[in-house]
């Protein structure tokens, strides 16, 4: 009855604490309810906004929507925020990005989202990321993501990590199919595809309504 999801630096088990492999999916009745997005490849290059946004788009939000939770509990650790030295993470996710990730989570469970501050080792990073998340929780308008982020594709290590995760998790989640959503396309291109799909569905729905209105009802002849 609980879906657990984690994004973390893994490096094939060589980064502390070495657990959280992508094939650790849970056991017994809980098999399939543990999703590990285990980043590998070290810091060459480090993961950043593009990689985390892509993980949400291709794995986390599809699976979470399919699970349809009653409430979302977030262990808000900010080790991935830029400003942490390599031994403590070394990633380059911006505080602004954490705000946008929180905004996506608010689409789940009718907005019943709880964030509990877990960790982080740089006070400035913790403060900035916490502020961004709280702004999202309050429904404040967030500063748009930079254009270069929107048009950038994930790095090759991230693509490999996400393809491994989708391959494993597709056995448990219909919405997470291997390569069904191309993880190696830019966010802007993905958003364009989603807009086109939405417009197509809307147009078909409108056409259906028009057809129904054209069919004479029984007794109106």
């Amino acid at each position: 009855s609980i879906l657990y999801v984690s994004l973390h630096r893994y490096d094939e088990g060589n980064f502390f604490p070495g657990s959280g492999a992508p094939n650790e999916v849970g056991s017994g009745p809980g098999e399939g309810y543990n999703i590990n997005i285990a980043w590998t490849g070290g810091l060459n290059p480090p993961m950043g906004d593009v990689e985390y946004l892509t993980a949400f788009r291709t794995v986390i939000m599809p699976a979470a929507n399919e699970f349809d939770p009653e409430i979302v509990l977030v262990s808000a650790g900010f080790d991935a925020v830029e400003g942490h030295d390599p031994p403590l993470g070394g990633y380059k996710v911006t505080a602004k990005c954490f705000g946008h990730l929180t905004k996506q989570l608010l689409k789940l469970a009718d907005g019943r989202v709880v964030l509990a501050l877990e960790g982080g080792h740089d006070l400035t990073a913790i403060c900035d990321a916490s502020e961004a998340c709280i702004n999202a929780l309050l429904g404040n308008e967030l500063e748009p993501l930079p254009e270069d982020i929107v048009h950038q594709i994930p790095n090759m290590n991230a693509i490999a990590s996400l393809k491994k995760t989708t391959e494993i998790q597709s056995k448990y989640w219909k919405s997470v199919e291997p390569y069904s959503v191309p993880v190696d396309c830019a966010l802007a291109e993905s958003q364009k595809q989603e807009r086109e799909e939405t417009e197509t569905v809307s147009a078909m729905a409108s056409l259906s309504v028009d057809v129904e209105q054209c069919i004479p009802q029984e007794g109106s002849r």
Side-chain angles (χ1 to χ4, degrees), residues 18-157:
S19 57
N23 61 356
E24 293 176 16
V25 297
S27 60
E31 182 178 350
Y33 290 91
N34 192 81
I35 300 176
N36 283 318
I37 297 176
W39 301 120
T40 193
L43 302 176
N44 187 29
M47 304 300 171
D49 291 3
V50 174
E51 288 71 37
Y52 272 66
L53 289 163
T54 305
F56 262 63
R57 174 169 55 81
T58 59
V59 181
I60 295 177
M61 293 306 294
N65 275 302
E66 185 177 341
F67 180 70
D68 192 21
E70 295 175 344
I71 191 170
V72 178
L73 306 177
V74 182
S75 183
F78 296 123
D79 290 18
V81 178
E82 56 185 355
H84 288 87
D85 294 330
L88 300 174
Y91 283 177
K92 301 294 182 183
V93 184
T94 64
K96 184 190 300 183
C97 180
F98 272 95
H100 283 272
L101 297 179
T102 302
K103 185 177 180 179
Q104 290 189 47
L105 293 177
L106 287 168
K107 298 175 183 177
L108 302 167
D110 293 324
R112 292 187 289 271
V113 177
V114 177
L115 271 64
L117 182 62
E118 179 208 322
H121 305 275
D122 182 271
L123 288 178
T124 300
I126 294 173
C127 290
D128 292 346
S130 297
E131 181 182 7
C133 291
I134 291 170
N135 269 318
L137 290 175
L138 291 173
N140 296 335
E141 187 173 349
L142 303 180
E143 187 180 343
L145 293 166
E147 280 297 310
D148 61 326
I149 293 296
V150 174
H151 291 92
Q152 188 178 333
I153 64 171
N155 66 56
M156 295 307 297
N157 289 328

Side-chain angles (χ1 to χ4, degrees), residues 155-201:
N155 66 56
M156 295 307 297
N157 289 328
I159 291 172
S161 299
L162 289 170
K163 284 187 174 180
K164 183 177 292 186
T165 299
T166 57
E167 204 168 85
I168 293 168
Q169 293 297 331
S170 64
K171 301 172 186 175
Y172 307 104
W173 302 100
K174 295 178 181 178
S175 58
V176 182
E177 299 179 5
Y179 325 130
S180 62
V181 178
V183 298
D184 51 349
C185 76
L187 179 63
E189 182 61 28
S190 171
Q191 290 174 336
K192 179 184 176 184
Q193 291 175 1
E194 290 172 359
R195 282 197 302 271
E196 290 174 348
E197 290 173 1
T198 301
E199 289 170 358
T200 300
V201 171

